[in-house]
Amino acid sequence: MTVRTRIAPSPTGDPHVGTAYIALFNWAFAKHAGGEFLLRIEDTDAARSTPESEAAILDSLRWLGVTWNEGPDIGGPHGPYRQSERQAIYSEHADKLISDDHAFVCFCTSERLDEVRREQQSAGQQTKYDGHCIGLAKDEVAAQIAAGTPHVVRMKVPEEGECVCSDALRGEIRIPYAQIDMQVLIKSDGMPTYHLAVVVDDHLMQISHVLRGEEWINSMPKHQLLYEYFGWDMPVHAHLPLLRNPDKSKLSKRKNPTSISYYRDSGYLGEVLANYLAMMGWSMPDEREQFSMTEFAEQFSLDRISLGGPIFDVEKLNWLNGQYLRAMTPNAFMDAIAEWALNRDRLAQLVPLIQERTERLADIAPQVEYLLGDRIPLTESSFADSKLETDQLLAILHHIGRRFDEQRSWQRDELYQVCKSLADDMEIKLRDFLYPLFIGVSGRTVSLPLFDSMEFLGPDVCRVRLREAIEALGGISKKLGKRLDKAFDQLDRAAQ
Ligand code: GLU
C-alpha cells in the first residue's frame, strides 16, 4: 500500500499556524514512508471561501517548505482538488446512500427545527434531529422535490448501541449512537457538508492515513458509519493535539498571532517556523531542538507524539529564530534580509507612501521604522496628548478590536469606514477617536497615513499592536471586558 496523506484547508481566512502544523505532520508521515502528500481545498462554504485565502494558504505552506504531489495548482490523477468543483460526485454518492436506505431527504423548515430544539432543551434532552422525515413515502418525496420544496439530505444513524472507533494515537474511542445526530450530508444549496465530502474524497483520493486536529474526534462515528454504508475501508485516523496559548487555552488570535503571514512579515524564517511547529507535541529521538524538515521526515513516527496540549510560545520561537539567524553565513543573512523586507513586492507597497515625503534617501529609514521593525514600546504616557480619559481610550481600542475581529478584508478604505462608523456610533470626534489607534499602530504622533500603514502591516500585526496599546493603558480586566463587550453589542444593535 502506498501511504497517502493530505491536508484539507478551508480557504476562509488567513493561513493559520494550526493548518501548517497539521500539514507538516501529514507531509512528514508520507515522506517518511516514501508515500505521497496531497493538498485539497475544502471550499464548500461558498459564502466564506475566497480565492485570495486559497492563494495565501498555498503560498504560506510553500514558504514553510511543504511540498505536495497533487493539488489544485498542479493537478493530479484524483482531481479536481477543490471540493466546489466536485459537486456532481457528492450528489451521486448521496443518491446512492438514499437508494440503499442509509440516508433520507428532509424537508423540515428551520422554524420547525428551532421549535424541536427548544422543546428538547426545555425537557433537558440532548438537541438533535427528531427523525420527522425519515419515514416519508418515496412518491411523497418525489412530489415535494418536483414542487421545488427546499430540502436537505440527512444520514441515518442506528438508534441503539455504540460506535467503537479506533484512533492511532488514542486507541479505542466509544461513543453511543444515541449521542449522534442525523447529520445533514447535502445542504439545501446542493453543496455537501464537510462530513460527506471528507469521506468521499478521502476514499476516492486513496488516502491511507488521516492525521487531523482533535476537534474532529467527535465526528468519527459519523464518518465511520459513512464508510460502512458505502462499503469502503476506512483510512487510519489519528487526531493530533490542538495548539495552545501559554495559558493552555486553545490557540486564538486574540491572545497570539495565528496567521502564518504574521510570522513571515515579522521576520521569522520559514524553516524556523517549520522546525518550531514540528516540535509541537513531537520530539526528535535524541531530543534535539534544531532540525531540518528533511531530518524531521526521516525521524518521524506517530509514537513520538505526545497528547498533552502543545504550547505555542512566541518567546521560544524567537529564541529559535535567533539561533538560526546567528548561525547563517553573512551571505545567507544578506539574502534573508532582502527576501524579507527589501524585496520588490514589499517595496512597491511602501514607495507610494514614502516617495512624496522624501527629500534625501536618508529620510526613508526613520519613516518606515515602525513598518519594517517593531515600534517603540508604549507606556501610558505615550497617550498623554489625547483629549480623552483612559477609560474612553480603552473603550475605543476594545471596540475597534471587536470590529476588526469581524473584518475580512484589510484594505485602507474599508478600515477607514469601519473606524468612521464606529466613531459616529460612539459619538466621538473622528480625530480624537483615531488618536489611540494611531499611537497603538505607529507609536508616534507623526507617521505615515494610518490606514495605509495598517494595510501594509496586515491584520495580525495590527491586532498585536492594539493588544499592546491596551496593556500600556493598564489593560482590560475580566469585569471591564464584560462591560465593554456589552456596550459594544448595544452599539452594534443600535447601528443596525
Ligand atoms: N477542512 C477541514 C479543516 O480545515 C479539514 C479537516 C480534516 O482534515 O478532515 O479543519
Side-chain angles (χ1 to χ4, degrees), residues 6 8-10 40 42 194 198 202 210-213 215-216:
R6 51 48 169 200
S10 299
R40 176 172 78 225
E42 300 207 331
Y194 162 69
V198 74
D202 283 343
V210 171
L211 274 51
R212 62 182 177 184
E215 73 268 34
W216 298 110

Side-chain angles (χ1 to χ4, degrees), residues 246 256-257 262-263 268 276 311-319:
N256 241 323
Y262 167 84
Y263 293 96
Y268 295 87
Y276 187 62
I311 306 278
F312 188 89
D313 178 3
V314 178
E315 295 297 324
K316 181 85 197 269
L317 176 63
N318 289 344
W319 168 82

